[in-house]
Amino acid sequence: MGKKGKDEPVILEEIPEPEGLVNPPDPPPEAASKILAELGWTVHLMPSTFRKYFYSVKRGEVRLQAPYFQVLGLPETGFKTITKEDIWKAFFQKRCEYRKVDEFGAIVEELKNPDDRIDWDLVMEAYQVLTDQVRRAEYESESLLPHARRQLAGLQVMHEARVREEKRLEKERQLAEAEAAQNEETAAA
């Protein structure tokens, strides 16, 4: 089978875990977004791939991309009828909300509040995706159409199971701390 003189391959007893599982990356910047928080969306990382996804408790929905129509203040229910002009008007309102105005009334590139950089970047991303025909079509088919929601059901189930597990672990930690505090009190007495 093998050639003479060749060493046999070394078979490991245990497969080592990749570095990423030991040291997960920092949360994505969108996790600090005020816009997403107001809309009821949270940003998470998938446990094995660390790919970000968005979850809405209110809607009971999970997505791989941010809710771009909502970010611009547009209703998602009629997403098929929203035109580029509607998107531009919503973007311009957001631009006026986030950007400074100079003494001549022109909107400048400087943000009113530098802490809003994450939200402004999200607004820009939403505008760029929704005004590009190809990217918008991909976004709609991956996030808004009924088949996309069915395909993302597995991710939603995984997220909800992970949240339940985190709550259970937190409860166990609190019980252990309370028990340790009680033991200290009885030992001190």
Side-chain angles (χ1 to χ4, degrees):
M1 299 252 196
K3 295 183 180 180
K4 291 185 181 179
K6 292 282 185 181
D7 292 331
E8 291 292 318
V10 177
I11 299 174
L12 299 174
E13 296 274 332
E14 199 174 303
I15 299 172
E17 287 191 17
E19 182 74 21
L21 294 178
V22 177
N23 302 318
D26 293 331
E30 294 92 345
S33 170
K34 295 172 194 161
I35 293 175
L36 291 176
E38 288 171 7
L39 293 171
W41 289 87
T42 54
V43 185
H44 304 276
L45 295 175
M46 292 183 199
S48 56
T49 62
F50 302 119
R51 185 174 174 193
K52 73 180 169 190
Y53 66 94
F54 300 81
Y55 182 76
S56 173
V57 175
K58 261 195 289 192
R59 297 169 63 118
E61 186 177 340
V62 67
R63 294 188 185 173
L64 296 176
Q65 293 177 303
Y68 294 134
F69 286 105
Q70 291 179 17
V71 166
L72 292 178
L74 296 168
E76 283 186 342
T77 53
F79 70 90
K80 291 180 183 179
T81 60
I82 294 175
T83 64
K84 277 190 177 182
E85 185 178 331
D86 297 330
I87 295 166
W88 169 250
K89 287 177 185 176
F91 171 73
F92 190 76
Q93 285 180 335
K94 290 288 184 182
R95 187 172 178 190
C96 292
E97 183 181 326
Y98 286 97
R99 297 289 187 176
K100 287 185 177 180
V101 178
D102 68 7
E103 64 272 3
F104 304 109
I107 300 173
V108 295
E109 290 302 309
E110 191 177 342
L111 291 173
K112 290 179 183 176
N113 181 356
D115 295 338
D116 289 337
R117 169 60 55 194
I118 293 168
D119 287 331
W120 174 249
D121 290 345
L122 191 60
V123 168
M124 281 300 299
E125 182 181 347
Y127 176 73
Q128 290 168 351
V129 167
L130 296 179
T131 54
D132 181 305
Q133 284 184 333
V134 173
R135 291 174 69 189
R136 180 177 173 173
E138 287 174 2
Y139 168 71
E140 289 175 355
S141 70
E142 291 173 358
S143 299
L144 301 176
L145 295 177
H147 74 273
R149 292 191 176 145
R150 284 191 298 275
Q151 289 174 343
L152 292 170
L155 179 58
Q156 182 174 348
V157 168
M158 181 209 63
H159 173 80
E160 291 167 354
R162 193 166 113 198
V163 167
R164 283 191 303 273
E165 179 67 13
E166 288 172 359
K167 285 180 182 177
R168 185 187 64 76
L169 291 173
E170 178 63 21
K171 197 175 203 179
E172 285 178 7
R173 186 189 63 75
Q174 288 174 351
L175 288 171
E177 286 177 0
E179 187 177 314
Q182 187 178 20
N183 289 342
E184 285 179 18
E185 287 176 12
T186 56

